[in-house]
């Protein structure tokens, strides 16, 4: 997918169409997501660099890579030293780490601004609600629509993971049996698309409009002209600060009085080893009877909602907080809790606070001051809520062996180590924080 979009930066007249599938966008969602690098990066680099072809033998050695990440994490070493710890220093790894911001290094790889406006060929984009590179795929999509006055493209998105967005979806995804209508052959659609564009054949039947999305739980595809038409309403929740059992309330009315939740997160505690492996985005299971969030996350729960609508689109959050440090990596998870006590994982959002305002330039926080951190680059989802369901959101600090560790010191995060930590994170989460969820009635 990235290669196809990259080819349009210098559009050749022989190029008649592109079909970017699960397209990573360099500097946007890979090798870092919203400013945060994963430990998976080094594993992937060896996968594509060690041989003339891809190195499947080393890539699938989970024990090796988990042991490496666990060793690095528990020792609190710098992220820059990760390749040396592995035993094979990697120049491309180091080169990428030198570009934490979305600078010219990344921008030169794909179209920018007016270059999207020069793309005059038809495009078919495929991605999934649980595609690790959905953020990249939709970045291209949105930039293309922002800068191109005559967009000629179609989007297919459904309950697919990264692999399912490119060939044929898995029938069971993280314990969830996808709707039967979502069992489509994407590869067949691609060849039908080529017949349509290159041979004057019929357009693939599923492309009834420009945006084609499957609503989980309804066994139905919907077809609209724009992304905005995936929803026609929204619900905004605020973070209540009164603990009720193990969770805080999500409230619909903006609090009249400012209050906050105090949280202390010790970044030197390293007993929380949990590895990605076959996770769907960040979830071991999409369907589970229990919710076991990491200690670094607070749980917020709504009252039972009217189940006559669908969550459809991408959430938007504005988190008001103050911390005693200069930076923080935030994580926000969204779930549905059904009336019979089943948690359905919808998506996870990550954001380095210092890149929330501008991904090209780092803006450090002022310790002790209230700051608003916006989480605006989030996954699209579409699912009908069951009657009596509650919306559950966890908010906290991103801290795991799967990701670079931001200790909040304000220097290059790649160079920070556990030895830099003088005191734990002391966070005040303000009840003016709000999460807006797009819905379709």
């Amino acid at each position: 997918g990235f290669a196809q979009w990259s080819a349009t930066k210098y559009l050749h007249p022989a190029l008649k169409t592109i079909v970017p599938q699960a397209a990573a966008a360099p500097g946007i969602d890979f090798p870092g997501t919203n400013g945060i690098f994963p430990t998976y990066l080094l594993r992937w680099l060896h996968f594509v660099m060690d041989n003339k072809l891809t190195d499947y033998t080393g890539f699938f050695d989970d024990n090796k890579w988990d042991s490496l990440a666990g060793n690095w994490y528990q020792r609190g070493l710098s992220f820059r030293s990760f390749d040396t710890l592995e035993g094979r220093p990697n120049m491309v790894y180091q080169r990428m780490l030198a570009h934490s911001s979305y600078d010219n290094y990344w921008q030169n790889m794909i179209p920018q601004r007016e270059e999207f406006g020069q793309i005059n060929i038809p495009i078919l984009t495929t991605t999934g609600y649980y595609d690790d590179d959905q953020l990249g795929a939709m970045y291209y999509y949105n930039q293309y629509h922002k800068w191109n006055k005559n967009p000629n493209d179609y989007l297919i998105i459904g309950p697919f993971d990264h692999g399912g967005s490119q060939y044929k979806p898995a029938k069971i995804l993280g314990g969830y049996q996808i709707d039967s209508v979502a069992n489509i052959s994407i590869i067949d659609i691609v060849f039908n698309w080529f017949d349509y564009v290159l041979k004057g054949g019929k357009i693939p039947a599923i492309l009834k409009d420009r945006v084609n999305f499957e609503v989980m739980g309804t066994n139905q595809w919907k077809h609209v002209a724009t992304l905005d038409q995936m929803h026609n309403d929204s619900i905004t929740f605020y973070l209540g600060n009164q603990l009720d059992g193990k969770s805080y309330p999500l409230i619909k009315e903006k609090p009249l009085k400012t209050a906050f939740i105090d949280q202390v997160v010790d970044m030197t505690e390293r007993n929380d080893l949990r590895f990605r492996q076959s996770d769907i985005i960040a979830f071991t299971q999409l369907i589970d009877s229990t919710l076991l969030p990491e200690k670094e996350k607070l749980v917020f729960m709504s009252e039972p909602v009217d189940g006559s609508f669908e969550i459809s689109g991408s959430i938007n959050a504005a988190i008001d907080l103050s911390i005693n440090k200069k930076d923080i990596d935030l994580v926000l998870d969204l779930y549905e809790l059904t009336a019979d006590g089943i948690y359905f994982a919808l998506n996870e959002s990550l954001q380095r606070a210092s890149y929330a305002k501008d991904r090209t330039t780092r803006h450090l926080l002022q310790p002790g001051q209230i700051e608003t951190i916006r989480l605006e680059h989030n996954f699209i989802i579409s699912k009908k809520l069951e009657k009596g369901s509650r919306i559950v959101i966890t908010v906290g600090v991103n801290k795991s062996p799967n990701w670079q560790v931001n200790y909040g010191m304000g220097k290059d995060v790649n160079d920070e180590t556990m030895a830099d930590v003088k005191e734990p994170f002391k966070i005040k989460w303000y009840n003016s924080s709000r999460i807006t969820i797009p819905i379709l009635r």
Side-chain angles (χ1 to χ4, degrees):
F2 151 66
Q4 296 185 56
W5 279 110
S6 184
T8 66
K9 188 175 179 71
Y10 307 103
L11 196 66
H12 193 282
L15 185 60
K16 302 303 180 185
T17 184
I18 60 171
V19 187
Q21 300 175 299
I28 300 295
D29 73 320
F30 190 79
T33 298
N34 292 331
I36 309 170
F37 288 112
T39 51
Y40 170 80
L41 169 58
L42 184 63
R43 181 176 185 169
W44 181 83
L45 284 173
H46 282 296
F47 175 54
V48 298
M49 291 179 65
D50 285 0
N51 298 323
K52 290 184 178 180
L53 302 178
T54 45
D55 181 20
Y56 284 94
T57 302
F59 182 71
F60 287 109
D61 188 353
D62 288 338
N63 291 333
K64 172 197 170 175
W65 292 106
D66 288 353
S67 176
L68 175 68
N71 182 19
W72 162 80
Y73 181 73
Q74 292 192 311
R75 291 172 63 185
L77 303 176
S78 74
F79 196 69
R80 194 179 301 282
S81 69
F82 193 54
D83 61 337
T84 303
L85 184 65
E86 194 267 338
R88 293 176 292 175
N90 188 293
M91 64 176 182
V92 178
Y93 177 80
Q94 294 297 331
R95 185 188 305 156
M96 288 179 167
L97 297 194
H99 301 278
S100 296
S101 302
Y102 188 60
D103 59 13
N104 287 338
Y105 175 74
W106 305 112
Q107 294 176 26
N108 289 338
M109 297 182 184
I110 59 175
Q112 299 295 324
R113 300 171 64 89
E114 291 84 358
E115 291 172 334
F116 279 102
Q118 303 303 312
I119 301 173
N120 58 359
I121 57 175
I123 300 168
L124 173 60
T125 294
T126 67
T127 183
Y129 302 141
Y130 300 101
D131 170 17
D132 299 83
D133 283 311
Q134 188 209 113
L135 296 182
M138 298 314 299
Y139 171 80
Y140 294 114
Y141 183 93
N142 288 319
Q143 288 293 301
Y144 172 72
H145 277 262
K146 179 178 181 179
W147 295 100
N148 199 298
K149 296 180 179 179
N150 298 293
N152 181 13
D153 65 337
Y154 292 83
L155 171 68
I156 297 174
I157 185 169
F160 317 137
D161 62 4
H162 187 63
S165 300
Q166 303 172 64
Y167 185 74
K168 188 172 178 61
K171 292 184 178 180
I172 298 179
L173 193 62
Y176 166 61
Q177 183 172 337
I178 69 174
D179 294 337
S180 61
V181 299
N183 283 312
I184 60 175
S185 175
I186 290 178
I187 193 69
D188 286 344
I189 293 171
V190 170
F191 279 102
N192 291 338
W193 171 264
F194 288 151
D195 285 342
Y196 163 66
V197 174
L198 303 175
K199 296 184 177 182
K202 291 183 178 180
I203 193 169
I206 196 171
L207 303 179
K208 292 182 170 60
D209 212 326
R210 296 291 177 166
V211 176
N212 306 274
F213 64 104
E214 202 271 333
V215 184
M216 294 188 291
T218 67
N219 201 34
Q220 180 183 3
W221 284 89
K222 292 193 174 180
H223 314 273
V224 294
T226 67
L227 276 181
D228 288 341
Q229 293 175 354
M230 286 185 67
H231 49 267
N232 53 21
D233 203 350
S234 64
I235 301 176
T236 295
F237 290 108
Y238 296 87
L239 302 183
N241 63 301
Q242 298 297 318
L243 188 63
D244 182 7
K246 295 182 179 181
S247 65
Y248 295 89
L250 285 174
I251 53 180
K252 291 185 177 180
E253 299 297 327
K254 185 176 181 179
L256 298 177
K257 184 178 180 181
T258 300
F260 54 81
I261 301 167
D262 272 318
Q263 185 188 26
V264 176
V265 177
D266 183 0
M267 299 299 283
T268 67
E269 183 182 357
R270 294 301 164 92
N271 297 320
D272 49 346
L273 287 179
R274 175 183 175 274
F275 301 104
R276 290 286 302 265
Q277 292 186 7
S278 59
D279 285 7
I280 310 299
I281 302 298
F283 305 105
T284 305
Q285 291 286 315
L286 297 187
I287 295 180
D288 210 328
S289 59
T290 58
L291 178 64
L292 298 173
E294 294 84 350
K295 289 185 293 184
E296 294 76 32
K297 297 179 182 178
L298 304 177
V299 180
F300 298 85
M301 185 179 300
S302 76
E303 293 294 323
V305 299
D306 175 6
S308 61
F309 63 84
E310 301 145 10
I311 293 179
S312 192
S314 176
I315 68 169
N316 191 299
I319 306 299
D320 295 333
L321 55 74
S322 65
I323 62 173
N324 60 330
K325 296 177 183 281
K326 297 179 180 179
D327 204 359
I328 189 171
D329 289 350
L330 298 183
V331 57
L332 185 153
D333 298 333
L334 175 67
Y335 300 85
E336 174 192 8
L337 174 60
T338 64
D340 54 357
I342 300 299
Y343 289 90
F344 195 110
L346 298 175
N347 63 45
E348 178 174 272
S349 304
L350 293 174
Q351 179 65 60
R352 176 157 295 164
S354 57
Y355 286 118
K357 293 179 181 178
D358 181 359
R359 55 166 51 104
T360 68
T361 306
R362 193 177 184 201
H363 297 274
L364 295 176
L365 308 184
Q366 295 296 319
Q369 291 191 13
I370 299 177
E371 308 259 9
T372 298
I373 311 302
R374 299 190 182 278
L375 283 71
E376 299 178 323
H377 311 295
N378 305 312
F379 282 78
I380 291 172
I381 195 80
S382 186
K383 184 183 185 300
K384 182 177 177 60
L385 292 189
E386 296 186 20
K387 186 176 181 180
S389 286
R390 300 172 186 261
I391 293 172
V392 176
I393 290 173
T394 66
V395 179
V397 182
N398 189 45
K399 173 178 174 283
S400 84
N402 302 310
W403 296 95
Q404 179 184 44
V405 179
N406 185 351
Y407 294 94
M409 308 309 297
K411 64 181 186 180
D412 188 336
V413 178
N414 296 301
D415 296 321
E416 292 183 344
T417 72
M418 195 187 296
D420 292 315
V421 179
K422 306 303 180 186
E423 59 179 346
F425 272 106
K426 297 177 182 177
I427 311 165
K428 288 181 169 60
W429 303 94
Y430 285 87
N431 60 353
S432 54
S433 300
R434 59 196 182 278
I435 296 99
T436 300
I437 300 174
I439 63 175
L440 182 63
R441 295 192 184 277

